[in-house]
Amino acid sequence: MLILNVVGARPNFMKIGPLVKEMRHRDLPQVLVHTGQHYDENLSRQFFDQLGIPKPDINLQVGSASQAVQTAEIMRCFEPVVVECHPDLVLVVGDVNSTMACALVAAKFCIPVAHVEAGLRSFDRTMPEEINRIVTDAVSDLLFVSEPSGIQNLKREGVPDHKIHFVGNVMIDSLLEHRKAAEESKILERLNLAATNRYALVTLHRPSNVDEPEKLRGLLEALAELTQDLPVIFPMHPRTRNKAIEASLQLELDRLIVTEPLGYLDFLHLMSAAAVVITDSGGVQEETTVLGVPCLTVRENTERPATVEQGTNRLVGSDPAHLLRSVRTVLQGDRSPSRLPELWDGKAAQRIVEVLLRQDWRKH
Ligand code: UDP
């Protein structure tokens, strides 16, 4: 049985890492395809070394483009790979354009598709990722779910029970595996902050927060104001940086500790010791839940409700004044108790590979 594993963008690497490792451990033949949706050192290359992922066997080098052009380009480049490799299964992770594009190509060749992180729904179709999630799940044969809401969502959409496998969260497999190594990171020293310093950590890159200049201005002003309370570290996604420069927001940026996007171990180190994390990232909502660090999510909704119901996550929306008030409340020590969501125990990849090896999915 040959499995074709697909990655494309930053949040995919933490998800594929444990799977590639477990497949190797169980002698499951695999080919790793990188679509090149993210391609530079900061958003792609450094993660392979840090997460111990082998160099991709194939790189499609699609690069950046509009939603439609990028999706089309991935499909165009991935089709001949499928023809040549003739895999028994194509495995995709997460909710980026590569996830949906490669799932569609495989489905049209009638090759079974496995989707890792299936069933998550924000119920907000203005998010490109929501469209990717819905389409990918609709053409997948094996739906690996990370939290109970995913099971309910898939059942509501009519997915038969035998396709749904509740296995836990591969992103948390990575976090638990690399937590110890992340303790050694010297990132705080590099940023001229002592280990004793309290600080806030920020990531923002969703189009809904950064694409409109006035919205971005409001959020950056709130963060600049927050620096009166504590240092604010902002590893900035290139999309956000470009939009901030276009909107002439350099003054606000100058008050923050702005860095390039960080490597996984440095970022994990910063998250673990932060007084508060402010984010619109999906993965960061999950990671802070496991680390027990308060997380304020600058969105109206989340496709990961377990992080709110059981974890440390709170949805605060994108009103700057409300964001600032919420951060200050958290800093005053208002920490609600949190629990680990079910099966976020570091063994999700093992469970997934177990299902793949059973091969009973081939019967349907
Ligand atoms: N991350 C990182 N460096 C950074 C910011 C984030 O390594 O500077 C990691 C983070 O720990 C998580 C993943 O990137 O594992 C989340 O990626 P992103 O926010 O781009 O995607 P999303 O989860 O929103 O789809």
Side-chain angles (χ1 to χ4, degrees), residues 9-12 14-15 38 42-43 46-47 50 95-96 117 129 133 171 175 202-203 205-206 234-237 259-268 271 279-287 299 303-304:
R10 177 170 69 184
N12 293 164
M14 302 79 192
K15 295 169 194 168
H38 281 166
N42 290 338
L43 290 182
Q46 60 175 338
F47 293 99
Q50 295 198 358
D95 57 14
V96 300
E117 206 183 81
E129 296 86 353
R133 292 189 276 260
M171 198 168 214
L175 183 148
V202 180
T203 78
H205 67 278
R206 297 254 104 77
F234 193 163
M236 204 171 263
H237 197 281
T259 73
E260 293 293 313
L262 293 172
Y264 184 66
L265 299 180
D266 285 341
F267 190 75
L268 192 48
M271 262 193 304
T279 193
D280 59 10
S281 156
V284 172
Q285 295 172 56
E286 297 181 335
E287 291 165 337
R299 287 175 46 189
E303 60 288 338
R304 294 162 159 88

Side-chain angles (χ1 to χ4, degrees), residues 57-342:
D57 300 292
I58 298 167
N59 195 322
L60 305 180
Q61 298 186 317
V62 297
S64 308
S66 68
Q67 290 285 326
V69 170
Q70 187 176 64
T71 305
E73 193 58 14
I74 297 167
M75 291 180 73
R76 193 180 68 77
C77 297
F78 188 60
E79 186 173 49
V81 173
V82 173
V83 171
E84 178 151 336
C85 294
H86 216 74
D88 297 284
L89 180 81
V90 169
L91 182 143
V92 295
V93 298
D95 57 14
V96 300
N97 288 344
S98 304
T99 313
M100 177 184 72
C102 296
L104 277 177
V105 171
K108 295 218 173 184
F109 280 113
C110 299
I111 292 171
V113 177
H115 183 205
V116 175
E117 206 183 81
L120 297 182
R121 296 288 181 270
S122 64
F123 303 102
D124 174 1
R125 292 200 182 192
T126 65
M127 287 181 83
E129 296 86 353
E130 181 75 351
I131 309 292
N132 293 341
R133 292 189 276 260
I134 294 168
V135 174
T136 304
D137 285 343
V139 299
S140 290
D141 303 275
L142 282 159
L143 295 107
F144 292 112
V145 175
S146 56
E147 63 162 282
S149 70
I151 305 173
Q152 305 315 323
N153 295 334
L154 292 173
K155 286 189 174 188
R156 198 180 321 106
E157 289 171 20
V159 177
D161 285 355
H162 69 83
K163 289 189 177 183
I164 304 173
H165 302 268
F166 178 38
V167 290
N169 192 330
V170 282
M171 198 168 214
I172 302 308
D173 289 9
S174 265
L175 183 148
L176 296 177
E177 184 183 342
H178 297 284
R179 206 173 169 177
K180 193 105 200 94
E183 283 173 15
E184 307 298 317
S185 154
K186 296 282 172 275
I187 182 68
L188 282 171
E189 287 88 328
R190 291 214 309 274
L191 298 176
N192 293 322
L193 289 169
T196 50
N197 266 123
R198 293 179 89 217
Y199 59 86
L201 177 65
V202 180
T203 78
L204 293 174
H205 67 278
R206 297 254 104 77
S208 58
N209 283 328
V210 307
D211 280 7
E212 265 177 54
E214 281 319 300
K215 192 145 192 197
L216 182 58
R217 176 187 304 281
L219 290 171
L220 291 183
E221 280 173 356
L223 295 174
E225 167 106 21
L226 183 61
T227 59
Q228 293 182 357
D229 303 39
L230 76 180
V232 176
I233 308 174
F234 193 163
M236 204 171 263
H237 197 281
R239 175 189 194 96
T240 313
R241 191 184 278 267
N242 292 340
K243 297 286 176 187
I245 290 168
E246 270 168 41
S248 309
L249 296 171
Q250 194 58 46
L251 276 182
E252 286 75 9
L253 293 188
D254 286 346
R255 294 177 60 190
L256 315 175
I257 302 174
V258 175
T259 73
E260 293 293 313
L262 293 172
Y264 184 66
L265 299 180
D266 285 341
F267 190 75
L268 192 48
H269 186 84
L270 286 182
M271 262 193 304
S272 313
V276 62
V277 173
I278 300 165
T279 193
D280 59 10
S281 156
V284 172
Q285 295 172 56
E286 297 181 335
E287 291 165 337
T288 45
T289 274
V290 173
L291 295 169
V293 173
C295 175
L296 299 181
T297 295
V298 187
R299 287 175 46 189
E300 308 294 337
N301 51 54
T302 180
E303 60 288 338
R304 294 162 159 88
T307 61
V308 176
E309 288 154 13
Q310 297 169 52
T312 55
N313 187 20
R314 287 188 213 173
L315 299 177
V316 293
S318 54
D319 173 60
H322 181 60
L323 171 63
L324 200 53
R325 271 197 308 278
S326 309
V327 180
R328 288 184 165 148
T329 308
V330 166
L331 293 175
Q332 278 156 19
D334 175 22
R335 284 198 174 197
S336 39
S338 66
R339 281 181 292 138
L340 264 193
E342 201 183 340

